[in-house]
Each structure stands twice: as structure tokens, then as C-alpha cells.
Amino acid sequence: MNVVLGITGGIAAYKGAEIISRLKKKGIDVKVIMTENAKQFISPLTLQTLSGYPVYYDTFKHATENYEIDHISLAKWADIMLIAPATANIISKVCHGIADDLLSTTIMATRGQVVFAPAMNTNMYKNPILQDNIEALKKRGYMFIPPAKGLLACGDVGEGRLAEVDDIVAEVVGLLRQRDDLKGTKVLVTAGPTREYIDPVRFISNPSSGRMGYAIADACRKRGAEVHLITGPTNIKTPVGVHVYRVETAYEMYDAVMSLFGQCQIVFKTAAVGDYRPDMVSSQKIKKDADDLVIRFVKNPDILKELGRRKKNQILVGFAAETENIEAYANKKLKEKNLDFIFVNDVSKTGAGFAGDTNGGILLCADGDRLEMSITKKEIIAQRILDVIIDRKLDK
Ligand code: CTP
């Protein structure tokens, strides 16, 4: 379990030393990146000694010494990036995509969770510019451990003190623990569109990118699950450590799903399955001799409905993309397909459409509960859906 601790230039920088030693006592590996200003408040030597690694602050140092590109290797190494203390400057830079030093470039490059623990003068903290930036980052899935109230180093009293080290460490440990909460669980995920062929060179399909399903597969794998991903054609890279089965038609997906279903405990049916297929597939390319072309479509099997019929102890999670009456339609699917959960999004809304990087919607539970999830990165939606399922269904 790896944490990159980013320390920025505020008086609370000295608390970085305590954070490192507390995380290390919990068996967590910590590497430190400091900004130039942070070096005014605490010596790199102290942090190097505590972390057991060189302290990183020069973007180009190792590039010339041993060809390492630090901001990329650190970004990949980090399961979590904790920025504590986080100044108004680093928060606002990240919010606006500015990457002009080792810390900001590493934050931009990481795929791990980024957690900010802000600390600054209370008026700076309350400044609406900073507050807007914090809100914008939260919407994109960045996490914040809010500062505490009290006497500040500058003599002012108010909100702005770095949160208690205990609370920061507990938050990080909690996030890392999530990583194992699906250990021993086999998960089946379907993703992407299906293609229903008309002739050897033409098909009907839909604009599903597969990103939501891939994000679910990746999130499950990161939490320790054995993941089987059955995917229609997509342009995205397959997540590392996941078993991938490529299919094209709804029928191929049906066969692949049924052959794996018996051994899996959770199924995420994220794929946008074509409901109909042409009743005849021409074995040769259709020539444009005729003035019109009539194709008759017949219904494909409803894979998820069939799983609902066959299910024993499995947890079934459906996905519904709707354009109107979204909750009513999704509830109907939840019941008719015998699901445990269904995530429904309104594809007509900006940010919750088919092919983008973000999603947002409502997770409906079979017990009647509903949880709204505001628009954010698909990776974060995947994590939130898993949090709910694990909380309610898995006794871990
Ligand atoms: N689904 C499936 N097999 C199908 C159609 C849908 O497994 N032939 C699954 C999808 O993967 C999704 C859920 O059913 O998890 C809901 O899909 P959606 O297309 O929204 O619903 P449909 O049941 O196809 O209903 P409609 O198209 O009428 O909205």
C-alpha cells in the first residue's frame, strides 16, 4: 500500500513528519514530494529519514541522473496521493490544470485517489475563489479532509487549521482498506455495445464506449476481486489484471455470460445490449441494386432477465440509460429482472451521456432505497456503487 505525501508551503508542513511516521507504523509505504515553499518550513532531511526514501522536489533531478521520470513513476506508484497541508495555491492550480512543478505534474498524472487536507488562514480558506475551486474538484472526484477550527498560527481564530493528524491518517487507512474488501469474490462485468450484423460489412450498434463497465471492472480488481470482463467492441485499453472475453453480438454475449455466471458472486450488467437483430444476415455484402431495403428485426434474448431467473445467491446489478421517466422505468426493470440494484442515468443530461468520461444518476436498491450520485468521473461513480453494494450486501 503506497501513499505519496505532497507537502506544500504552509506552517502545518511540520505535521508532515507526524503523518509519515503514523502511516509507516500502519505498514504503509510513504514517499514525499515537497514544493519549493514547503522546504522553507521543514527540512527534506527530516522527511527523508522518516520515510526511508529520498524526498522529491526537483522535476528534473532523477531524469538526468538515472533517466527516471519522477512525476510519472511516482504517479503510478501511488495508490493514494495525500496533499497535507494543501495550500490555496496547490488546490487552485490543480483545479485549473496547471502543472508547473513536480507535485502538480504528479497529481495530474496519477490515477490514484487524490486527497487534499487544506490548511491556511481562515480568510484565505473562506475566499469564494478557493471555495469554488474546492467544489469543482470535489465534482471531479478529488477528496477533501476539511480543516479544523481554532487558533491559527497567524493569531486569527477560525476555520483553517490542518485537520487532526489522527483524522487524516484514519481517512487514508480507510481508503486503502477498501482496496481489499472484494478479496475472494468473483465478479462478472459486461461492457460496451453489441453489434448486430446485417451483412459481413454492416451492423447496427449504439454509441456505448464501454467506459463505465471498464471502470467497474478496474475498481473491483483494485478491491481484490477476481474480475471477468465480457466486452463488446471498444477502443479503450483493457484494465490490468482482469480476464477479458471479447464478443460482438448479443448472442455471443449471452453465451459468454451464461458460461461464467455460475461461478460469480456479483454481476454488473453494464453493457448496452442490442435489443433486436436482423432476422436474416446476408452471407455476402448487400449490393445497392434495389431502391429500398427493408430489414426485419427480431428480439434478442434479455441476458439480465435470464440471470434474474437463474440467480441463487448472486448479486445482480443492472444499468439503465433512459431519456424520460428515468426512475419509473428503472424501478420496473429492477423488479422485472429480479435485480438487487440498478443504476439509472438520464442520457439526455450533459455529463451523463453515453460516451463521455463522466456519469451521474440514481442507484436504486431492491429494498426501495435510492441514492443520488452527482455527475463525476466514471471511476468515482464505480467506487461509489461498490461502496453501497459492499456495505449492504457483503458481510466482510
Ligand atoms: N440487458 C440485457 N440484455 C438485453 C437488454 C438489456 O442484459 N437484451 C441489460 C443491460 O445490460 C442493462 C439492463 O438490461 O443492465 C437494462 O438495459 P436497457 O437497455 O436499459 O433496458 P431494456 O431491458 O433493453 O429495456 P428498454 O430498451 O425497453 O428500455
Side-chain angles (χ1 to χ4, degrees):
M1 291 189 292
N2 301 336
V3 172
V4 166
L5 173 65
I7 301 182
T8 62
I11 185 64
Y14 77 93
K15 292 189 182 165
E18 178 71 9
I19 294 173
I20 298 168
S21 79
R22 297 282 302 282
L23 288 174
K24 288 209 64 174
K25 276 186 195 139
K26 297 207 176 274
I28 297 165
D29 231 1
V30 185
K31 290 185 180 180
V32 180
I33 302 178
M34 298 178 85
T35 60
E36 279 305 316
N37 287 343
K39 283 166 37 193
Q40 303 282 340
F41 292 93
I42 184 163
S43 129
L45 186 62
T46 308
L47 305 172
Q48 173 175 313
T49 312
L50 288 168
S51 68
Y53 289 104
V55 168
Y56 300 82
Y57 45 80
D58 181 343
T59 312
F60 302 105
K61 184 160 184 275
H62 294 106
T64 48
E65 275 174 8
N66 56 11
Y67 308 106
E68 274 262 320
I69 305 169
D70 283 337
H71 68 282
I72 302 299
S73 53
L74 286 165
K76 282 188 185 152
W77 184 83
D79 296 314
I80 288 181
M81 282 195 73
L82 167 67
I83 319 302
T87 55
N89 186 46
I90 187 73
I91 293 167
S92 301
K93 275 198 326 197
V94 175
C95 180
H96 293 283
I98 296 169
D100 62 353
D101 61 6
L102 185 60
L103 182 58
S104 50
T105 45
T106 311
I107 293 174
M108 188 165 255
T110 193
R111 304 201 67 174
Q113 178 71 57
V114 179
V115 184
F116 291 98
M120 66 198 77
N121 167 273
T122 189
N123 292 336
M124 288 175 79
Y125 183 67
K126 290 197 168 141
N127 188 312
I129 299 174
L130 178 72
Q131 287 302 320
D132 282 355
N133 291 341
I134 291 177
E135 283 315 306
L137 285 172
K138 280 185 186 167
K139 283 203 181 111
R140 289 182 182 273
Y142 292 82
M143 290 183 59
F144 282 81
I145 304 173
K149 281 189 185 143
L151 178 64
L152 306 177
C154 54
D156 284 357
V157 177
E159 213 174 350
R161 275 165 59 97
L162 184 70
E164 292 302 326
V165 171
D166 273 354
D167 294 342
I168 295 174
V169 171
E171 186 68 39
V172 171
V173 170
L175 283 169
L176 288 167
R177 191 170 297 134
Q178 279 184 350
R179 296 170 53 79
D180 271 341
D181 51 15
L182 282 177
K183 211 174 191 143
T185 308
K186 282 194 190 174
V187 173
L188 177 59
V189 183
T190 70
T194 60
R195 287 177 176 176
E196 306 304 328
Y197 278 89
I198 297 166
D199 71 12
V201 294
R202 301 181 182 98
F203 53 80
I204 64 160
S205 190
N206 60 67
S208 165
S209 66
R211 281 199 193 103
M212 193 63 236
Y214 279 54
I216 298 258
D218 195 38
C220 290
R221 204 266 311 158
K222 284 187 177 140
R223 287 170 175 236
E226 178 183 313
V227 183
H228 298 268
L229 172 66
I230 300 171
T231 174
T234 67
N235 289 324
I236 31 180
K237 254 181 73 185
T238 44
V240 199
V242 165
H243 304 273
V244 179
Y245 311 81
R246 296 188 188 281
V247 297
E248 285 196 87
T249 65
Y251 254 111
E252 287 168 8
M253 185 171 280
Y254 179 93
D255 288 340
V257 168
M258 294 310 155
S259 71
L260 287 163
F261 181 56
Q263 32 171 311
C264 293
Q265 287 88 52
I266 312 180
V267 179
F268 293 93
K269 199 69 197 41
T270 326
V273 184
D275 288 330
Y276 295 91
R277 68 183 185 283
D279 69 342
M280 297 268 289
V281 184
S282 169
S283 60
Q284 302 300 330
K285 184 180 168 196
I286 299 172
K287 290 293 177 188
K288 61 170 187 294
D289 298 333
D291 284 341
D292 53 12
L293 175 68
V294 177
I295 298 172
R296 189 171 164 268
F297 287 92
V298 291
K299 224 174 196 171
N300 270 330
D302 189 320
I303 306 170
L304 190 53
K305 200 167 183 176
E306 183 55 30
L307 296 183
R309 270 189 220 113
R310 295 187 188 191
K311 102 168 170 189
K312 295 199 170 81
N313 300 320
Q314 287 101 335
I315 300 166
L316 286 188
V317 189
F319 286 76
E322 304 287 355
T323 54
E324 57 174 356
N325 305 327
I326 71 160
E327 226 168 313
Y329 281 138
N331 261 315
K332 194 163 169 260
K333 288 173 191 175
L334 183 79
K335 291 194 180 78
E336 283 179 1
K337 301 194 187 199
N338 191 20
L339 309 179
D340 299 275
F341 300 92
I342 190 161
F343 182 80
V344 57
N345 57 330
D346 182 346
V347 279
S348 62
K349 269 197 183 152
T350 318
F354 249 128
D357 286 336
T358 58
N359 203 354
I362 309 167
L363 183 66
L364 301 173
C365 315
D367 62 11
D369 218 356
R370 63 191 289 290
L371 292 111
E372 286 192 28
M373 299 191 185
S374 54
I375 289 171
T376 181
K377 285 197 281 191
K378 284 183 173 165
E379 286 79 10
I380 306 293
I381 293 285
Q383 292 290 0
R384 290 190 185 150
I385 293 173
L386 290 189
D387 283 342
V388 175
I389 294 170
I390 290 163
D391 232 39
R392 289 166 185 238
K393 286 285 185 184
L394 295 183
D395 245 356
K396 294 227 166 194

